[in-house]
Amino acid sequence: MRTNKIIEAIHEGRLDERLTEIYADSYIIPYEKKRYEQALYQYNATFGADEVEIFSAPGRSEIGGNHTDHQHGEVLAASINRDAIAIVKKLNRPRVTILSDGCTSEITVDIDDLDKRKSEEGTTAALIRGVLAKIQINGYSIGGFQAYITSDVLIGAGLSSSAAFETLIGTIVSYLYNNNEISAVEIAKIGQYAENVYFGKPCGLMDQMACSVGSLVHINFADVKRPKIEQVQLDLDAHGYSLCITDTKGSHADLTPDYAAIPQEMKQVAEFFGKEVLGQVSKQEILRDIPQIREKAGDRALLRAIHFMNENERVRQEAEALKQDHFSEFLELVKESGNSSYKYLQNVYTSRYIRHQNLSVALAVSDMVLGKQGASRVHGGGFAGTIQAFVPENMVEDYREAMEDIFGEGTCQVLKIRKYGGVKVL
């Protein structure tokens, strides 16, 4: 359909049902309609009115399994109704041209030149080139297209904006050139490859998997080449709850040593047992050799290993509670996860800057506002960034107001879990 015809269809409400299906929240459909219209206008301004297709890839929220994936553990993660969307036209030329919202110039990648470029590390071009390269390496077809991309997956807010982008590019190529035959799991692995090898950022597979597969997924990374994936049903509306993510606006500057120390220390404990990662070690082995581990790796490494062991079990318990529709039990497990991250994993604040404890403040206020209702926990990597809370619907506005009074307008996002990962919208 031509861009101008799509804009007309949006105005007339002919896409409302499709948008509601994707975004799982009728309340935000007016916002989404305006967002899609603006993206189409921007496409027209950049490339001219065209026959186009529209694609979407969501951000993700980690529900359970804080810092477990990199140790070949288990996670519970959900795709959310914040996403990156692309207005796309297939081209008969060996070039991908993308203009992203907020950028002043287009990014162009020649598909006949997909070798890694050291100078591109840390850039969007690296992610595009890496995804295309890995798709080709895996034996699939690639080809040219032009796209305007816009995203409301906030950068630095723990919702995995880069994984959403990688999933989006993989989904576009799967539909345009491979009859949608590249599976969601393979697209996730392709995205991880692009981020690890081309972008230059070590990461696990949880972010890409949640963004690509969609819905709420329980993932076991014991075999990272063939992770076990199980979709789990969670209808927050049916239980009268919303998922709230609050960006506490803490600076991530100078926190690389804090993030890096977590997998390093966990691996030190694994190495004590002659293993590479904690996923290859049992809780019984940890309990048996606590004195020796303290001496060899130190107390914090031991505590982080204990967190991993308990958090892995907790992920399985959370998944089972949801399968049995025991939502109150699930909330208690979320609280336990938060307590474990605070006390044992110790990723709520950095001990190097004790005057700045944004996450601690957000969690404390969450406890005071929610009382015995709902649950809150650190979200994602920790030390700065975001917290997660499951909030009763009748308390959402009070909760959001309390968070935004402290951290600023727009910092608390009320989210829904969407059932789609990377998808063709139109």
Side-chain angles (χ1 to χ4, degrees):
M1 189 183 294
R2 290 187 68 82
T3 48
N4 292 335
K5 289 293 184 181
I6 300 173
I7 293 170
E8 183 180 303
I10 292 171
H11 272 304
E12 294 175 355
R14 286 185 276 133
L15 297 184
D16 287 8
E17 184 176 349
R18 176 60 170 160
L19 294 176
T20 302
E21 180 187 23
I22 290 172
Y23 293 98
D25 186 354
S26 59
Y27 179 79
I28 66 170
I29 297 308
Y31 159 79
E32 292 297 343
K33 291 170 69 173
K34 183 177 180 181
R35 180 170 167 246
Y36 272 70
E37 286 178 10
Q38 290 175 339
L40 287 157
Y41 284 129
Q42 284 296 126
Y43 180 95
N44 283 351
T46 305
F47 301 111
D50 270 323
E51 290 280 339
V52 297
E53 300 172 71
I54 303 178
F55 298 87
S56 160
R60 72 97 182 102
S61 179
E62 169 204 287
I63 305 299
N66 196 213
H67 279 282
T68 52
D69 62 327
H70 52 70
Q71 297 299 299
H72 298 190
E74 300 184 37
V75 299
L76 198 62
S79 58
I80 57 170
N81 59 346
R82 297 290 185 272
D83 67 343
I85 61 172
I87 316 298
V88 181
K89 179 179 175 63
K90 184 177 180 180
L91 299 175
N92 291 320
R93 66 186 186 198
R95 187 176 302 132
V96 171
T97 302
I98 290 175
L99 180 66
S100 292
D101 185 23
C103 295
T104 56
S105 59
E106 299 166 8
I107 298 169
T108 299
V109 173
D110 186 340
I111 65 172
D112 292 328
D113 178 18
L114 296 179
D115 291 340
K116 171 181 163 56
R117 298 182 179 182
K118 185 72 175 176
S119 61
E120 274 186 352
E121 284 190 358
T123 69
T124 302
L127 293 178
I128 299 167
R129 199 181 303 275
V131 169
L132 292 170
K134 186 59 173 171
I135 289 174
Q136 192 173 57
I137 290 168
N138 287 6
Y140 296 102
S141 299
I142 61 173
F145 62 89
Q146 62 189 24
Y148 176 79
I149 294 177
T150 183
S151 177
D152 63 0
V153 183
L154 295 180
I155 296 172
L159 301 177
S160 298
S161 57
S162 60
F165 184 85
E166 295 150 14
T167 297
L168 186 63
I169 300 300
T171 301
I172 290 169
V173 177
S174 180
Y175 274 94
L176 293 186
Y177 290 101
N178 297 279
N179 298 313
N180 193 30
E181 292 177 358
I182 309 178
S183 72
V185 171
E186 192 161 6
I187 287 174
K189 293 177 180 178
I190 288 165
Q192 183 197 27
Y193 173 88
E195 191 153 345
N196 289 173
V197 178
Y198 278 67
F199 191 81
K201 177 184 175 182
C203 68
L205 190 57
M206 176 182 70
D207 295 352
Q208 289 81 3
M209 198 70 78
C211 293
S212 185
V213 173
S215 189
L216 179 65
V217 288
H218 174 203
I219 311 169
N220 185 333
F221 290 111
D223 183 349
V224 291
K225 292 184 178 179
R226 289 175 292 276
K228 294 181 181 177
I229 305 163
E230 174 189 28
Q231 287 194 317
V232 180
Q233 296 303 311
L234 172 55
D235 186 346
L236 288 175
D237 289 337
H239 293 284
Y241 273 77
S242 283
L243 174 63
C244 295
I245 301 291
T246 300
D247 182 0
T248 69
K249 300 298 180 183
S251 173
H252 288 79
D254 300 324
L255 290 176
T256 300
D258 296 281
Y259 293 123
I262 292 176
Q264 287 171 359
E265 291 179 10
M266 286 184 174
K267 286 181 179 180
Q268 285 174 7
V269 177
E271 288 167 2
F272 174 84
F273 296 98
K275 307 295 184 181
E276 291 184 4
V277 292
L278 282 177
Q280 300 164 343
V281 180
S282 71
K283 180 190 280 190
Q284 289 70 28
E285 288 174 305
I286 298 287
L287 289 171
R288 183 193 66 205
D289 291 329
I290 283 178
Q292 293 87 347
I293 296 170
R294 293 182 67 192
E295 181 178 351
K296 181 75 173 180
D299 286 349
R300 190 172 70 172
L302 168 65
L303 290 169
R304 286 174 165 171
I306 290 172
H307 163 82
F308 172 85
M309 295 300 166
N310 292 332
E311 187 78 345
N312 242 15
E313 292 179 359
R314 198 157 28 240
V315 167
R316 293 192 288 272
Q317 292 166 357
E318 287 173 337
E320 189 59 32
L322 292 175
K323 289 182 207 173
Q324 300 297 324
D325 201 28
H326 296 161
F327 190 69
S328 59
E329 180 183 341
F330 165 75
L331 290 180
E332 287 302 315
L333 290 164
V334 171
K335 292 179 184 178
E336 288 181 17
S337 175
N339 287 334
S340 180
S341 291
Y342 213 144
K343 293 191 293 187
Y344 309 135
L345 184 61
Q346 299 179 30
N347 69 329
V348 172
Y349 63 90
T350 173
S351 58
R352 295 180 296 124
Y353 307 112
I354 58 173
R355 284 179 59 85
H356 303 290
Q357 298 188 32
N358 295 41
L359 297 181
S360 303
V361 171
L363 292 169
V365 173
S366 295
D367 286 347
M368 289 190 288
V369 173
L370 296 176
K372 294 184 178 181
Q373 301 186 68
S376 63
R377 66 192 279 274
V378 63
H379 183 252
F383 300 109
T386 58
I387 69 159
Q388 172 191 89
F390 290 90
V391 181
E393 290 287 0
N394 63 353
M395 300 180 72
V396 166
E397 287 310 312
D398 288 342
Y399 182 80
R400 181 179 6 212
E401 183 179 347
M403 291 293 105
E404 295 190 350
D405 279 349
I406 300 168
F407 302 108
E409 185 177 353
T411 52
C412 181
Q413 295 194 44
V414 182
L415 307 176
K416 300 291 184 183
I417 296 172
R418 81 178 214 175
K419 63 182 178 181
Y420 293 110
V423 67
K424 184 177 178 180
V425 177
L426 186 69

